[in-house]
């Protein structure tokens, strides 16, 4: 078999050389016949018209005299790229030199030939390939959502606008105000009308400037700013709910602005040729310390050092959070200090024992320092107005093990946390308390085909004797659990 392949290849090369020789002979014979003819058929090859001709602006086959220095190359048309690219940040440094290669220095804005696949001029109600984009169309490639660099070849800007509206009609146990007044004189003495209506609207505008090819490697640096304008409206049917002053009525409307995210990120080091890195991020940022947000899930002031190792099989985080107060009515950030600090360290390993299963170990330390706070609606929130409501200090250590993924054909998500620490003056017990509490969550699901069978279980320890010196009731730092229904679950709302 091997000699036959070599023979065929030599035959092709010989045939190609023979064709080139025949073409050259035909060209020379034609030139000789033209020279001997009494009536010339046209101007000579090196006439001024040929030397000074305007370069062609259309695509064609390269000339047989393409290597002749007296002939200009064919200029191939440059097709525009898809989507809305904006102006290029690259100045061309090289011009086209021959008919075979067209230099394209902006590699992100190489175009495609225009093509109307169905011959209907790209109607809005059809998704066609190679369709031109528009600055206001986020469903096509767009420089404003990071598809093309805005500066050079490695700096991208992503602009995100979100309109988030929540309308909620609910019935929850609502106390009456028997010592002051009530809107319904014939109601019970303790529980009143449970009807409530909530409107919460967030208009979010975010700017994310990233330097680096984030698809292939971590960013060299990043700057992000997210601002939120919120309008919220609450209507209840009992007095003393929207404000302790019953003269404020049963409805409340607030409008607020918050600078929710503002941080700068930079890469500290590349630790291997496999895109392993160490980066740091400082400023107000979002962080979720586990898979389901059981212990700490918040956007707040933090310094975060993070990276990966073992070809991205392992990831780790080191966090120090200096938390700020939240707005009373919309839970957005303010610039007022909360007097609470949190340190977090966690480590993830992918394909732990089973392929597709991710395991995590974590440690949280929370120090809630003594403080005194009335919220924006004039309610006392810290210290809690129960028992001995005096300023006190809480130090808590959380040790946890969590996992998420699948073990063979069973999907699993679980978490276990054990918290130890000290409360130097518990409001209910009226004395110092030693903290010793646990939490466990497990969610299993099975999908044999297009159905999913899921079961969730959650356990948190309680306290059977609140007046001893042991606090065994479990509490979190700042949770936002996405478990057993997530934010739409009645129990988590």
């Amino acid at each position: 078999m091997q000699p036959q392949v070599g023979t065929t290849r030599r035959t092709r090369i010989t045939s190609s050389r023979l064709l080139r020789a025949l073409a050259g002979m035909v060209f020379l014979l034609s030139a000789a016949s033209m020279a001997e003819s009494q009536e010339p058929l046209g101007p000579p090859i090196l006439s001024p018209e040929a030397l000074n001709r305007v370069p062609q602006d259309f695509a064609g086959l390269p000339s047989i005299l393409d290597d002749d220095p007296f002939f200009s190359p064919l200029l191939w048309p440059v097709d525009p790229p898809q989507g809305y690219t904006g102006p290029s940040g690259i100045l061309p440094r090289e011009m086209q030199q021959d008919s075979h290669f067209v230099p394209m220095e902006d590699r992100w804005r190489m175009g495609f030939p225009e093509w109307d696949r169905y011959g209907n001029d790209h109607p809005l109600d059809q998704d066609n390939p190679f369709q031109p984009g528009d600055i206001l169309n986020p469903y096509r490639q767009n420089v404003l959502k990071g598809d093309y660099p805005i500066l050079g070849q490695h700096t991208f800007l992503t602009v995100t606008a979100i309109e988030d509206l929540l309308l909620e009609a609910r019935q929850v146990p609502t106390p009456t105000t028997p010592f002051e007044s009530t809107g319904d004189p014939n109601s019970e003495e303790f529980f009143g009308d449970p009807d409530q209506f909530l409107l919460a609207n967030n208009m979010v505008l975010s700017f994310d400037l990233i330097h680096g090819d984030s698809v292939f490697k971590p960013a060299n640096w990043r700057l992000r700013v997210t601002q939120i304008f919120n309008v919220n409206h609450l209507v209840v049917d009992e007095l003393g709910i929207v404000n302790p002053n019953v003269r404020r009525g049963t409805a409340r409307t607030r409008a607020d602005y918050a600078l929710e995210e503002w941080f700068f990120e930079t890469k500290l080091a590349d630790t291997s040729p496999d895109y392993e890195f160490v980066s740091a991020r400082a400023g107000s940022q979002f962080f979720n310390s586990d898979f389901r947000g059981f212990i700490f899930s918040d956007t707040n002031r933090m310094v975060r050092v993070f990276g990966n190792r073992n070809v991205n099989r392992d990831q780790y985080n080191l966090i120090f959070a200096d938390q700020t107060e939240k707005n009373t009515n919309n839970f957005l950030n303010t610039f007022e200090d909360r007097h609470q600090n949190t340190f977090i360290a966690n480590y993830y390993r992918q394909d732990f024992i089973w392929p597709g299963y991710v395991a995590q170990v974590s440690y949280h330390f929370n120090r809630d320092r003594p403080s005194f706070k009335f919220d924006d609606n004039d309610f006392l929130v810290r210290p809690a107005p129960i028992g001995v409501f005096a300023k006190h200090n809480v130090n808590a250590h959380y040790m946890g093990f969590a996992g998420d993924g699948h073990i063979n054909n069973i999907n699993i998500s679980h978490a276990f946390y054990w918290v130890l620490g000290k409360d130097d003056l518990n409001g209910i017990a009226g004395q110092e308390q030693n903290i010793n509490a646990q939490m466990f969550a497990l969610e299993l699901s099975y999908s044999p085909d297009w159905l999913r069978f899921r079961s969730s279980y959650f356990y948190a320890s309680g306290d059977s004797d609140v007046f001893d010196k042991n606090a065994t009731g479990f509490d979190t730092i700042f949770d936002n659990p996405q478990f057993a229904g997530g934010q739409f679950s009645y129990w988590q709302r």
Side-chain angles (χ1 to χ4, degrees), residues 242-245 248 254 328 374-381:
V242 300
N243 194 281
N245 187 349
R248 297 291 183 89
R254 295 286 189 272
T328 304
F374 280 92
D375 66 14
D376 295 338
N377 300 321
D378 302 324
F379 287 99
L380 177 64
V381 294

Side-chain angles (χ1 to χ4, degrees), residues 282-295:
S284 180
Q285 55 192 283
F286 174 77
F287 183 73
N288 184 5
S289 65
D290 60 25
F291 301 105
R292 296 300 183 95
F294 285 121
I295 303 300

Side-chain angles (χ1 to χ4, degrees), residues 132-197:
D134 184 81
I135 187 174
L136 299 179
N137 188 348
Y139 296 98
R140 300 288 178 185
Q141 288 183 318
N142 197 313
V143 68
L144 296 181
K145 64 185 184 74
D147 294 320
Y148 301 99
I150 194 170
L151 294 173
Q153 294 286 272
H154 304 286
T155 304
F156 300 83
L157 174 66
T158 301
V159 180
T160 304
I162 300 174
E163 166 62 25
D164 183 11
L165 174 63
L166 171 66
L167 298 174
E168 183 174 283
R170 62 197 182 196
Q171 287 188 331
V172 296
T174 304
T176 61
T177 53
F179 298 105
E180 296 171 342
S181 60
T182 179
D184 186 2
N186 297 318
S187 62
E188 297 292 335
E189 293 183 357
F190 189 78
F191 286 110
D193 194 323
D195 294 337
Q196 295 185 8
F197 174 78

